[in-house]
């Protein structure tokens, strides 16, 4: 999803700001310049509007998280985009009713905020013009945010509501997700097509067309990613770590120097990571990244054990652990390899590429 900045925690949820927000801050701030306002007033109102717009989107996202939490869904972090946000969930929702409430909470919150700004506009129009202008803009933006998110294409809120309803009526989570993500892709393509049509038919509105196409492209991407994820879930269902692990992985001892490791293991095999073990007992993991932290002149005096990621900081899997939970673990901590350990002994490794190969083979065999 590109780069985002950490803003800190709010109600236990990590809040991240996508870099596109800096463009929005500037656009919103300069869009509120009126010729009959003083320059200072324009700037103050522009910045205040940007901040309130940001607070509106944040409130929308937080309402998802808090309603989710009440319904037993833990949200790790939320990343704020221009037209809403993306919540990072630890687990997918397990009950249709919880999903329905959680998805509907965001647009409902935006509608309420929009209504409040509409009321503020109503009370201040004609008397406090700058405030009324700001209130009107924020009312419109919040209603637009609610309506946009209610489009029934997954992963938008409306798509989640749609999936929850399908899921509730059919009882089939995977099937419902696939339908909702396909609709999401369809909506994305329609937006792209609409954007291109605007550019050709109304050249003076090219910017709006481009904008619409961009949102469509973003939607299509998000829907495809959700579709793939849903498919993975279905295929991996019922498999354990032992079914999926590979026994072909590079092992290095912990009592050699970095120089020896590079000479004996890294150069000949071209491997980029190693399981560090002592007589089969897992000690840690080592990647090229770890090696790069040591200046080359210290390679011969530094032991592998000193620079590896030690066991207590590693995610490990157990042979009987279900494959889905491992995949989730890898996603959460953004890691690519998980050693499979039985009574302290490494017996295999689960790597992201293995999982992908496994899925591809199964789909080629049509199972
Ligand atoms: Zn939302």
């Amino acid at each position: 999803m590109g780069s985002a900045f950490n803003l800190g925690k709010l109600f236990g949820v990590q809040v991240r700001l996508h870099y596109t927000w800096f463009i929005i801050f500037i656009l919103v701030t300069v869009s509120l310049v009126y010729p009959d306002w003083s320059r200072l007033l324009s700037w103050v109102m522009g910045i205040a509007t940007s901040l309130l717009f940001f607070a509106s989107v944040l409130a929308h996202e937080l309402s998802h998280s808090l309603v989710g939490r009440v319904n037993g869904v833990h949200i790790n972090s939320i990343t704020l985009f221009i037209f809403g946000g993306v919540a990072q969930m630890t687990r997918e929702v397990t009950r249709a009713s919880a999903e329905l409430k959680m998805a509907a909470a965001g647009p409902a919150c935006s509608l309420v905020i929009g209504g409040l700004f509409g009321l503020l506009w109503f009370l201040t129009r004609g008397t406090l013009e700058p405030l009324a202008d700001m209130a009107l803009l924020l009312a419109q933006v919040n209603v637009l945010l609610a309506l946009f998110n209610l489009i029934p294409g997954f992963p938008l809120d409306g798509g989640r509501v749609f999936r929850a309803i399908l899921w509730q009526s059919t009882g089939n989570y995977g099937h419902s997700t696939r339908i909702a993500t396909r609709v999401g892709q369809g909506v994305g393509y329609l937006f792209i097509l609409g954007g291109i049509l605007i550019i050709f038919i109304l050249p003076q509105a090219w910017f709006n067309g481009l904008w619409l196409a961009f949102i469509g492209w973003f939607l299509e991407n998000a829907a495809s990613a959700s579709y793939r994820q849903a498919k993975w879930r279905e295929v991996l269902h019922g498999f354990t770590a032992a079914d999926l692990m590979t026994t072909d992985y590079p092992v290095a001892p912990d009592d050699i120097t970095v120089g020896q490791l590079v000479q004996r293991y890294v150069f000949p095999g071209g491997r980029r990571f190693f399981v560090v073990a002592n007589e089969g007992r897992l000690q840690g993991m080592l990647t090229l990244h770890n090696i790069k932290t040591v200046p080359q002149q210290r390679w011969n005096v530094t032991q592998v054990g000193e620079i590896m990621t030690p066991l207590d900081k590693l995610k490990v899997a157990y042979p009987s652990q279900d494959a889905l939970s491992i995949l989730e673990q890898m996603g959460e901590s953004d890691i690519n390899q998980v050693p499979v350990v039985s009574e302290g002994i490494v017996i295999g490794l689960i790597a992201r590429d293995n999982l992908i190969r496994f899925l591809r083979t199964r789909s080629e065999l049509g199972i």
Side-chain angles (χ1 to χ4, degrees):
M1 284 291 177
S3 16
F5 299 87
N6 264 332
L7 288 185
K9 278 194 167 186
L10 204 57
F11 300 107
V13 183
Q14 184 75 47
V15 178
R16 291 151 55 81
L17 189 68
H18 195 253
Y19 68 89
T20 46
W21 260 94
F22 293 96
I23 304 168
I24 295 310
F25 274 130
I26 294 168
L27 279 179
V28 172
T29 304
V30 299
S31 73
L32 266 191
V33 176
Y34 287 84
D36 48 341
W37 291 4
S38 77
R39 183 166 288 182
L40 179 69
L41 183 63
S42 292
W43 277 107
V44 169
M45 294 315 283
I47 291 168
T49 310
S50 299
L51 291 176
L52 285 169
F53 176 39
F54 167 74
S56 302
V57 174
L58 183 62
H60 174 117
E61 280 315 304
L62 274 178
S63 66
H64 285 306
S65 310
L66 299 181
V67 170
R69 186 183 299 168
V70 171
N71 287 284
V73 185
H74 183 74
I75 308 283
N76 276 352
S77 70
I78 50 183
T79 304
L80 300 174
F81 289 93
I82 316 153
F83 31 82
V86 169
Q88 192 75 53
M89 282 181 260
T90 322
R91 301 265 179 278
E92 280 283 316
V93 191
T94 49
R95 281 177 302 131
S97 60
E99 161 113 314
L100 190 67
K101 286 179 211 156
M102 191 174 144
C109 173
S110 292
L111 281 179
V112 169
I113 296 175
L116 290 176
F117 278 120
L119 188 67
L120 184 63
W121 166 76
F122 187 76
L123 296 174
T124 54
R125 80 206 150 111
T127 50
L128 285 164
E129 222 32 73
L131 195 61
D133 279 345
M134 181 186 80
L136 183 62
L137 183 73
L138 287 166
Q140 289 166 338
V141 159
N142 273 289
V143 171
L144 209 67
L145 195 66
L147 292 181
F148 172 74
N149 277 290
L150 280 172
I151 293 171
F154 198 88
L156 290 177
D157 300 337
R160 291 183 180 275
V161 170
F162 176 50
R163 173 177 74 174
I165 295 169
L166 283 179
W167 180 14
Q168 211 151 31
S169 55
T170 63
N172 190 332
Y173 174 83
H175 189 61
S176 309
T177 306
R178 270 181 293 154
I179 294 175
T181 50
R182 285 298 194 217
V183 174
Q185 283 177 299
V187 171
Y189 285 129
L190 278 180
F191 272 44
I192 295 173
L193 191 69
I196 294 172
L197 282 179
I198 288 176
I199 293 171
F200 280 103
I201 297 170
L202 295 165
Q204 67 277 22
W206 67 273
F207 187 72
N208 294 333
L210 195 68
W211 200 215
L212 193 68
F214 169 73
I215 293 175
W217 171 79
F218 181 85
L219 254 182
E220 200 284 323
N221 265 320
S224 309
S226 305
Y227 181 85
R228 276 196 302 275
Q229 216 175 13
K231 233 172 150 197
W232 278 47
R233 288 180 169 277
E234 255 171 273
V235 175
L236 287 182
H237 183 77
F239 285 97
T240 63
D243 296 326
L244 295 176
M245 69 187 188
T246 171
T247 47
D248 171 33
Y249 53 89
V251 185
D254 60 343
D255 55 359
I256 56 170
T257 66
V258 177
Q260 287 168 323
L261 176 87
V262 171
Q263 283 302 330
R264 288 187 215 161
Y265 295 85
V266 180
F267 287 152
R271 304 303 271 261
R272 303 181 63 83
F273 69 92
F274 297 90
V275 169
V276 182
N278 191 331
E279 289 173 6
R281 297 219 147 255
L282 180 65
Q283 306 294 318
M285 293 267 280
L286 189 94
T287 63
L288 288 193
H289 184 75
N290 294 118
I291 299 176
K292 277 194 275 183
T293 60
V294 185
Q296 204 175 338
Q297 61 268 30
R298 296 200 45 84
W299 278 8
N300 289 328
V301 288
T302 309
Q303 298 280 311
V304 164
E306 297 170 43
I307 60 161
M308 67 183 184
T309 307
L311 186 55
D312 56 340
K313 293 214 173 83
L314 279 187
K315 296 269 179 228
V316 296
Y318 300 94
S320 59
Q321 193 175 342
D322 74 284
L324 258 183
S325 76
I326 297 167
L327 188 69
E328 273 162 358
Q329 238 178 29
M330 290 168 105
E332 264 164 48
S333 356
D334 198 24
I335 44 177
N336 293 316
Q337 299 94 15
V338 174
V340 182
V341 174
S342 173
E343 290 166 1
I345 304 288
V346 203
I347 58 165
L349 183 89
I350 293 189
R352 231 177 249 246
D353 349 343
N354 287 116
L355 291 178
I356 294 170
R357 222 171 298 139
F358 175 81
L359 295 170
R360 197 171 296 151
T361 314
R362 279 183 64 91
S363 86
E364 268 173 32
L365 292 173
I367 45 177

